[in-house]
């Protein structure tokens, strides 16, 4: 079983009463080339700093074996999403890092999100990187900003995916906010299930370690649930078991609560 690595009405994506979103039955996921992995200014409705995955990075594809670890310290410090409900550590698939004997860039697939933060509309969220300083990446070409983008979660062929992995015209984020490390920003996305992509940042840690900072988080915006950080497994399981796992039908999709109780699980 493949588990891939979030509410805005997309042009061809019906959104049902329970916050269900699914891909059209005749949809075929695009296979972008390597030259499409950086930000595209020609994509309508999109301004996102972190690169879109290449064909080898799309969750659910055949994994690409990463390079051997050059040392335990040759990875970026973790990005953390802080909210009233708790802290969630982001997952990182691709990165570049240098210093302390490290000089490497890893281009990997997005692993499954381990947790989802349950928040209410209007809540304040904060991105932190304990032990390091994060700023906008001055080497980003074209120029970009350190930002967080909330992408609707799509159920496609039994896989739970950020909408941008499905290609144009689904490059529209429900919310994109320029952020600063340790500074709160307001959640404006409508109730629904999202993947929050943080990108466009560069970190500097003590001792000369530096590199590109980015990560992915799970987010459930639901004013009827208790704020918390919950296990992601029920959300992936709900998508896998959905009647629309063959590509979509009017009777299926992903439930925004992942089958969890409305009292907070």
């Amino acid at each position: 079983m493949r588990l891939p690595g979030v509410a805005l009405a997309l042009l061809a994506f019906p959104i049902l009463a329970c916050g269900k979103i699914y891909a059209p039955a005749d949809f075929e996921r695009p296979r972008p080339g390597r030259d499409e992995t950086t930000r595209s200014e020609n994509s309508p409705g999109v301004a996102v700093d972190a690169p879109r995955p290449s064909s080898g990075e799309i969750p659910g594809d055949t994994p690409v074996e990463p390079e051997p670890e050059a040392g335990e310290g040759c990875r970026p410090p973790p990005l953390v999403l802080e909210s009233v409900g708790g802290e969630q550590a982001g997952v990182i698939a691709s990165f570049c890092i240098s210093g302390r004997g490290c000089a490497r860039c890893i281009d990997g697939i997005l692993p499954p999100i381990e947790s989802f933060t349950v928040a209410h509309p209007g809540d304040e969220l904060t991105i932190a990187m304990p032990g390091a300083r994060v700023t906008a990446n001055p080497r980003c070409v074209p120029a970009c900003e350190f930002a967080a983008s909330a992408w609707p979660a799509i159920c496609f062929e039994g896989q739970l995916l950020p909408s941008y992995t499905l290609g144009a015209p689904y490059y529209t984020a429900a919310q994109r906010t320029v952020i600063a490390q340790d500074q709160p920003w307001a959640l404006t996305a409508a109730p629904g299930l999202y993947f929050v992509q943080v990108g466009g940042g560069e970190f500097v840690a003590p001792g000369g370690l530096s590199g590109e900072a980015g990560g992915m988080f799970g987010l459930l915006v639901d004013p009827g649930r208790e704020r918390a950080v919950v296990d992601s497994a029920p959300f992936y399981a709900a998508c896998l078991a959905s009647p629309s796992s063959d590509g979509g039908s009017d009777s299926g999709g992903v439930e925004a609560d992942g089958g969890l109780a409305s009292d907070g699980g």
Side-chain angles (χ1 to χ4, degrees):
M1 178 176 66
R2 297 175 300 174
L3 294 181
V6 229
L8 191 68
L10 301 180
L11 294 179
F13 283 20
I15 299 182
L16 308 184
C18 296
K20 299 177 181 179
I21 307 178
Y22 54 84
D26 59 350
F27 179 80
E28 293 185 5
R29 185 168 58 196
R31 302 292 179 178
R34 188 61 193 169
D35 59 341
E36 294 177 314
T37 60
T38 55
R39 192 179 74 173
S40 171
E41 279 65 45
N42 298 321
S43 300
V46 158
V48 58
D49 298 317
R52 293 192 296 271
S54 65
S55 58
E57 294 175 272
I58 295 177
D61 282 355
T62 302
V64 177
E65 290 297 325
E67 296 178 9
E69 291 287 340
E72 293 183 0
C74 291
R75 294 189 63 87
L79 277 173
V80 177
L81 176 64
E82 300 176 347
S83 67
V84 173
E87 295 185 354
Q88 178 192 164
V91 299
I92 298 175
S94 302
F95 62 90
C96 287
I97 192 169
S98 62
R100 297 184 192 170
C102 301
R104 63 197 303 238
C105 286
I106 295 297
D107 199 7
I109 63 171
L110 180 68
I113 303 295
E114 295 183 356
S115 304
F116 275 79
T117 292
V118 182
H120 295 182
D123 278 0
E124 290 190 334
L125 306 177
T126 303
I127 298 296
M129 181 177 275
R133 179 173 59 86
V134 182
T135 60
N137 190 341
R139 297 172 293 180
C140 186
V141 178
C144 60
E145 298 166 309
F146 187 44
S149 298
W151 299 94
I154 303 300
C155 187
F156 179 71
E157 296 184 345
Q159 301 178 74
L160 191 60
L161 306 170
S163 61
Y164 66 77
T165 65
L166 301 183
Y170 310 121
Y171 292 148
T172 303
Q175 177 179 349
R176 180 187 181 278
T177 305
V178 176
I179 60 177
Q181 177 182 334
D182 300 328
Q183 296 299 311
W185 47 282
L187 181 60
T188 62
L193 191 66
Y194 300 92
F195 287 99
V196 177
Q197 182 185 45
V198 175
E202 180 181 68
F203 73 89
V204 178
L209 192 66
S210 64
E212 297 179 2
M216 188 78 76
F217 302 89
L219 176 67
L220 171 60
V221 183
D222 186 346
R225 283 179 52 85
E226 179 182 348
R227 296 175 175 92
V229 176
V230 299
D231 185 15
S232 67
F235 298 93
Y236 286 104
C239 183
L240 186 64
S242 168
S244 67
S245 61
D246 60 353
S249 70
D250 288 342
S251 63
V254 141
E255 294 191 14
D257 62 3
L260 300 178
S262 60
D263 62 359

